[in-house]
Amino acid sequence: MAGSRLPFPLTLTGDGITLREWRSEDLEDLVRMLDEPEIARWSPMPSPFDHEAGVAYLKRCYQNRVSGQRIQLAIVAAGRPVGEVLLFGVDLGLKEAELGYLVDARERRRGLASGALSLLSAYAQSSLHLGRLLLRIDPRNVSSTAVARRCGYRLTGEAPILQEGPHGSSRLDTWELVEGQADSRRDRQKNVAARRYGRRT
Ligand SMILES: CC(C)(COP(=O)(O)OP(=O)(O)OC[C@H]1O[C@@H](n2cnc3c(N)ncnc32)[C@H](O)[C@@H]1OP(=O)(O)O)[C@@H](O)C(=O)NCCC(=O)NCCS
């Protein structure tokens, strides 16, 4: 990574999805997406998430992007923002960072979160040279733990991080990407495609 700033602007593509910077014209889609019970339950979003919260969110996102503090990208499918994936808490000394994700309730169970997480994880390893990629997940969040597992992350066994929130206390487990796993999902897909055409890669 050149200097200590994360790259801005950034676009990543693969697996039929695009990860791109949030834009001011995404406000309506953003508010509709983030004003949702599962997102309120498992992420630190204000709830209800209204127009004003959306304006503040996009402003803070832009500030974090231009200052190179975090990567915060819209997941775009069929031309519309349908989720978000983030990389933050970068420690250049330890070469580690944390990632996070969310997907529009109407677009779930289509592989979008795992596609986006795989793309950003691969980029963080190959272009940012971050060797230790982490997720922090409440074990009761079954969809998020499924995404982590599918993308090649494994539980580290580190002590849970205790967190108080509007839904009571939670204990976040730490998951780490197992080396060489960032591309495993795409490789599996390639193998499926190759089998369909009668050959293996
Ligand atoms: C977690 C979340 C991002 C998953 O998004 P998604 O696009 O539906 O996830 P994917 O389609 O990539 O699913 C990946 C895996 O999780 C599984 N999965 C997804 N939702 C699930 C659910 N509710 N129950 C069980 N498994 C689930 C999928 O079947 C898939 O597993 P597979 O490999 O067996 O096919 C979405 O549910 C969400 O936005 N939740 C609220 C915010 C949140 O919890 N963020 C994470 C905070 S740590």
Side-chain angles (χ1 to χ4, degrees):
M1 188 164 37
S4 57
R5 287 178 167 216
L6 292 164
F8 170 78
L10 182 64
T11 305
L12 302 173
T13 50
D15 288 352
I17 56 173
T18 298
L19 307 181
R20 63 137 169 92
E21 300 297 339
W22 281 105
R23 302 172 181 157
S24 50
E25 60 265 32
D26 294 327
L27 179 61
E28 214 175 291
D29 282 327
L30 180 84
V31 171
R32 205 177 46 234
M33 189 184 332
L34 297 192
D35 190 30
E36 192 270 324
E38 285 289 297
I39 290 177
R41 175 73 182 89
W42 302 117
S43 75
M45 294 300 166
S47 180
F49 193 97
D50 58 13
H51 182 90
E52 206 183 324
V55 172
Y57 192 81
L58 287 178
K59 187 174 168 197
R60 211 167 39 249
C61 168
Y62 181 74
Q63 286 163 351
N64 284 323
R65 292 299 291 125
V66 287
S67 65
Q69 293 295 298
R70 41 168 71 192
I71 291 177
Q72 185 167 359
L73 300 172
I75 305 170
V76 176
R80 264 198 57 228
V82 288
E84 178 177 75
V85 62
L86 307 100
L87 181 143
F88 56 99
V90 177
D91 185 321
L92 288 176
L94 296 173
K95 289 190 178 306
E96 77 175 32
E98 190 175 336
L99 291 91
Y101 39 82
L102 57 88
V103 164
D104 188 325
R106 284 149 292 225
E107 306 287 347
R108 289 179 188 156
R109 311 295 300 253
R110 292 177 43 207
L112 288 167
S114 33
L117 179 64
S118 290
L119 257 183
L120 188 54
S121 300
Y123 175 78
Q125 285 186 325
S126 62
S127 299
L128 307 178
H129 309 294
L130 293 168
R132 191 158 188 259
L133 301 181
L134 304 172
L135 304 172
R136 300 244 152 75
I137 308 175
D138 186 314
R140 294 169 295 182
N141 189 349
V142 286
S143 44
S144 186
T145 56
V147 171
R149 212 169 275 116
R150 178 160 164 178
C151 292
Y153 284 77
R154 295 291 173 263
L155 271 172
T156 60
E158 279 171 37
I161 297 165
L162 304 181
Q163 195 173 261
E164 288 302 324
H167 299 277
S169 54
S170 55
R171 298 159 61 86
L172 303 182
D173 288 332
T174 298
W175 295 67
E176 180 178 0
L177 184 62
V178 178
E179 213 168 317
Q181 292 292 302
D183 283 321
S184 63
R185 181 172 169 269
R186 261 178 288 169
D187 289 346
R188 273 205 308 274
Q189 284 182 338
K190 264 192 244 153
N191 284 335
V192 169
R195 277 199 296 278
R196 276 195 206 119
Y197 292 102
R199 66 185 166 83
R200 293 183 73 96
T201 52

